[in-house]
Amino acid sequence: MADWLAALDRRAELRAKAGLTRRLRPRPADDQMTDLAGNDYLGLATHPEVTAAATAALSAYGLGATGSRLVRGSTDAHRALEEDLARWLGTDSALVFSSGYLANLGALRALVQPRTLLVSDAHNHASLIDGCRLSGAETVVTPHADVDAVAAALASAPGRPAVVVTESIFSVDGDLAPLARLHSVARRDGALLLVDDAHALGLTGPAGAGAVAASGLAGEPDVVVTATLSKALGGAGGVVAGPAEFVRHLIETGRTFIFDTALPPAVAAGVHAALRLAQASDDLRAELSDRVALAVGRLRAAGLTVSAPDAAVISVTAPGPEAATDWAADCRDRGVAVGCFRPPSTPDSRSRLRLTVSAGVPRAAFERALDVIVDSAP
Ligand SMILES: Cc1ncc(COP(=O)(O)O)c(C=O)c1O
């Protein structure tokens, strides 16, 4: 075996010894599993209006965008989606990317000027971490949700441009960042606030407009919002929303926008249909919070260590990586799909099951799934 492949084999063995192997599993089209692992929070991925809108655009435009929007042109599907995203989020403008990951990379790169300091929460998603790294800016990582530490980091760089970078609902533990307080310390020092609203869009705020809107920060000139269109909107793609001048800057200079084939028009059209449904889904949001409360109560009553979720992500601590893997496998064998998060995909050294609650799962199946998780706990 070639040396480099032997080296990869040794690294795979080390991961296996640490209980950190990752394996792809097949997912049939008629999957019967109860899904507490995906992010289709409102069950819109398979909604008939969503699939019909995507199918119509698929027939009209074909499978892919066939190039970037600057090269191939910007379709009505992209324009209409962006206009409604901006209206929903309460910002001047919005720009769609082909994934939430690329939206974060693009937004961070575009926010950085010479001497910019980025102040990034320790629990931030990998796409924000990579965005900070790729921007080339000096980055201070502050303890999770620690507003004083953010203020101290900003104070340590007087006169320098700065951006405070945070998720709203954190993707592993499901807790909400102190957005209003972060904004006020950022504003005091003339810094910007970048919020990744991925796990709140469609779930919290007025008509599901997200946690930035819920915190009264929508449309503030020093706030930039990013989100993925792949969670409550059930599709794919990402968005950066903020002042019109910033969106123009992204269109003209954003490398992950310019040098990336655009989001397929069919996906843009499907996501647009999902957006309209999500806005009108207060009933599903109420059902979700009811289910989250039920799950937390039931799991805690069984003696499990459970996070305090502010939306629909629940984290349940496992004794270690192997125990987490076995627990998730037991759940799967009994028809329940759960997320199994182990280092390095966790912000600390703890392994967990990550449950994502979806209003699209039948209520009885959801309640049975809780029983399965409790019964198979290590
Ligand atoms: C907080 C957060 N930001 C960004 C992303 C990336 O979005 P996408 O999957 O659309 O690339 C994810 C997960 O997928 C996420 O959880």
Side-chain angles (χ1 to χ4, degrees):
M1 188 189 296
D3 285 356
W4 70 282
L5 296 176
L8 295 186
D9 259 1
R10 281 194 297 280
R11 284 160 71 174
E13 276 163 29
L14 289 176
R15 284 196 300 275
K17 272 198 194 117
L20 298 176
T21 297
R22 297 174 196 257
R23 292 270 182 274
L24 288 172
R25 285 184 304 280
R27 173 183 158 195
D30 64 345
D31 191 5
Q32 298 300 315
M33 299 285 266
T34 301
D35 179 19
L36 270 66
N39 298 117
D40 185 18
Y41 291 122
L42 300 175
L44 296 179
T46 51
H47 192 289
E49 285 177 37
V50 171
T51 52
T55 306
L58 188 65
S59 303
Y61 291 103
L63 183 58
T66 73
S68 77
R69 284 161 70 193
L70 286 167
V71 170
R72 283 293 287 116
S74 189
T75 70
D76 281 353
H78 292 103
R79 184 194 43 75
L81 173 60
E82 287 171 348
E83 282 173 8
D84 273 355
L85 278 167
R87 253 193 295 275
W88 195 25
L89 295 166
T91 56
D92 278 356
S93 281
L95 186 70
V96 163
F97 288 67
S98 62
S99 76
Y101 209 109
L102 292 179
N104 278 339
L105 297 191
L108 278 156
R109 179 74 193 88
L111 284 170
V112 163
Q113 316 163 38
R115 299 184 68 243
T116 295
L117 178 73
L118 299 175
V119 182
S120 176
D121 188 285
H123 284 199
N124 275 344
H125 187 260
S127 55
L128 292 171
I129 297 171
D130 290 353
C132 292
R133 287 178 184 156
L134 281 175
S135 77
E138 182 191 344
T139 304
V140 172
V141 177
T142 45
H144 179 51
D146 187 338
V147 181
D148 292 338
V150 170
L154 292 174
S156 74
R160 282 174 62 183
V163 186
V164 175
V165 183
T166 187
E167 290 182 52
S168 56
I169 296 293
F170 284 89
S171 49
V172 175
D173 283 339
D175 54 319
L176 174 66
L179 294 180
R181 287 193 295 134
L182 286 173
H183 180 244
S184 90
V185 297
R187 181 166 279 185
R188 197 175 60 205
D189 276 1
L192 303 177
L193 176 66
L194 172 80
V195 184
D196 179 345
D197 224 1
H199 291 273
L201 187 67
L203 299 180
T204 66
V212 173
S215 308
L217 300 178
E220 290 293 341
D222 47 4
V223 175
V224 169
V225 184
T226 65
T228 171
L229 311 174
S230 63
K231 301 195 187 298
L233 297 179
V239 60
V240 179
E245 296 83 348
F246 180 59
V247 169
R248 180 188 62 202
H249 181 70
L250 277 173
I251 293 171
E252 294 187 18
T253 72
R255 293 171 67 82
T256 61
F257 179 76
I258 298 173
F259 298 105
D260 186 44
T261 296
L263 185 71
V267 176
V271 167
H272 193 199
L275 181 160
R276 286 189 294 250
L277 290 162
Q279 287 176 317
S281 290
D282 281 347
D283 52 339
L284 295 182
R285 283 184 275 280
E287 173 66 17
L288 265 185
S289 39
D290 193 57
R291 287 186 189 194
V292 169
L294 177 78
V296 170
R298 172 95 180 78
L299 299 171
R300 284 196 182 142
L304 296 169
T305 304
V306 181
S307 64
D310 288 305
V313 174
I314 304 175
S315 161
V316 191
T317 304
E322 278 109 349
T325 312
D326 291 348
W327 193 1
D330 284 351
C331 291
R332 203 162 48 241
D333 290 346
R334 296 174 62 187
V336 178
V338 295
C340 173
F341 280 36
R342 299 156 296 169
S345 306
T346 57
D348 46 34
S349 53
R350 280 186 304 133
S351 295
R352 328 132 145 88
L353 295 193
R354 190 190 73 162
L355 315 179
T356 38
V357 181
S358 168
V361 171
R363 175 86 186 205
F366 172 70
E367 292 188 17
R368 185 191 153 266
L370 296 179
D371 291 338
V372 167
I373 293 162
V374 167
D375 290 349
S376 48

